[in-house]
Amino acid sequence: MREQAPLLWHEPMQKYIISRYDDVVRACKDQTFTTDNYVWQLEPAHGGRTIVQMSGREHSVRRALVAPAFRGTELQQKFLPVIERNARDLIDRFREAGRADLVWDFARHFPINVIVDMLGLDKSDHARFQGWYTAVIEFLGNLSQDPEVNEAGVRAGEEMAAYMIPIIQQRRREPGDDLLSTLCAAEVEGTQMSDQDIKAFVSLLLAAGGETTDKAVASMFKNLLAHPDQLAAVREDRTLIDRAFAETLRYSPPVHMVMRELAEDVELSGGVVPAGSTVICLLAAANRDPDHFADPDSFDIFRDDLPTGTAFSAAAEHLSFSLGRHFCVGALLARTEVEVGTNLLLDAMPDLELDEGANPVEQGVFTRGPASLPVRFSAARMSG
């Protein structure tokens, strides 16, 4: 498609598909490509409008309200201990076993536990949060418009609202030292977030932060295990974790596509897309465009066309955090989670390798990652 049909009309979905790097970059940055599609693609499952579908002043103010919690001092001082604690808790459950499934024993739980802990919610409700965010992600990626998937997504939004709104109201009365209380108190230019705003943002945070970091951690270890020399290099020099994560975001990103809706006619490679059309932007295909990356189908943490210094910013060369005004607000949180989790996993499993007979298979279309990742290692005694 990228080579022969860079602008493809997909009849069953009634949408255009683009896959070249330059076209997808334009779709991320050009305000002609709006996020109005999220009115039907996302809003029903979140039970309200979220920051990803806002624009103009409304978007900039909402982003200013939530962004400080996910960068700089706030992230390092307040939430780094939360990330470390949750990673250690999960690893301590299998470090003496000599075997683990890095998807089901670690990655599936780690980011959700961190987010729930950051928000000051009850981690005993982990299964409910997991069920809700899974239903929301499936709603988002329901390309065939399966009515049962749609119904499950809407139901998840309703259940989460019934759970979250009373907690939000209680935090307004009795604030604590947690992210939910911070969101309740945040104010920019005289604007505060309503209970519904906060609930929708929490729903987005659980879905986007859980699903993406879950798959990113698992995919990075899958890639490194498939390239033992690079795994050995990362084990020896932990500063290479950033490179391994950035290359994973390019080579096998957790989110393979996003949608945009056109405010006016736009000419792209392959033709003109009329106003009002929905465009599916294939992030993963663009990330392997040979016109932008050398040897794009090879996983190489040492490549020189993917600068690590900008890989977790809006100036990144890969497109997995999007670009422009809708650059992922949680990018630095994800980077910190991956860095902490990977360091602790490598410490606990110094001779990590795929378990005998394991053949990790990736699953998913809209979001994608290993379904399972069985590994073995020399069992280590728990340290004090």
Side-chain angles (χ1 to χ4, degrees), residues 1 9 53 56 79 84 102-103 115 131 148 188 221 233 269 351:
M1 287 168 53
W9 170 251
Q53 65 193 95
F79 297 127
E84 292 176 338
L102 291 185
V103 172
I115 292 168
E148 292 187 4
V188 171
F221 271 92
S269 301
D351 53 356

Side-chain angles (χ1 to χ4, degrees), residues 185-257:
E187 182 174 335
V188 171
E189 297 180 10
T191 298
Q192 286 188 298
M193 297 175 76
S194 68
D195 293 354
Q196 186 60 45
D197 288 339
I198 295 173
K199 179 265 163 188
F201 179 74
V202 169
S203 177
L204 177 67
L205 180 60
L206 286 167
E211 180 79 358
T212 57
T213 307
D214 158 5
K215 286 178 165 50
V217 171
S219 291
M220 188 178 77
F221 271 92
K222 175 180 179 292
N223 293 335
L224 289 172
L225 287 162
H227 298 82
D229 55 330
Q230 297 184 54
L231 174 59
V234 172
R235 184 185 293 116
E236 182 68 23
D237 179 2
R238 301 299 175 83
T239 65
L240 294 175
I241 292 173
D242 270 355
R243 281 183 168 269
F245 184 29
E247 175 66 345
T248 293
L249 290 172
R250 184 201 68 82
Y251 178 78
S252 52
V255 178
H256 270 222
M257 61 185 76

Side-chain angles (χ1 to χ4, degrees), residues 318-364:
H318 68 80
L319 306 181
S320 300
F321 285 137
S322 191
L323 299 171
R325 67 195 183 283
H326 287 293
F327 172 75
C328 175
V329 73
L332 292 181
L333 172 62
R335 178 191 188 181
T336 305
E337 288 176 317
V338 169
E339 181 179 4
V340 169
T342 301
N343 265 305
L344 292 175
L345 284 166
L346 292 176
D347 287 345
M349 302 181 292
D351 53 356
L352 170 72
E353 61 182 1
L354 276 177
D355 206 350
E356 187 175 357
N359 181 30
V361 176
E362 293 184 349
Q363 288 184 349

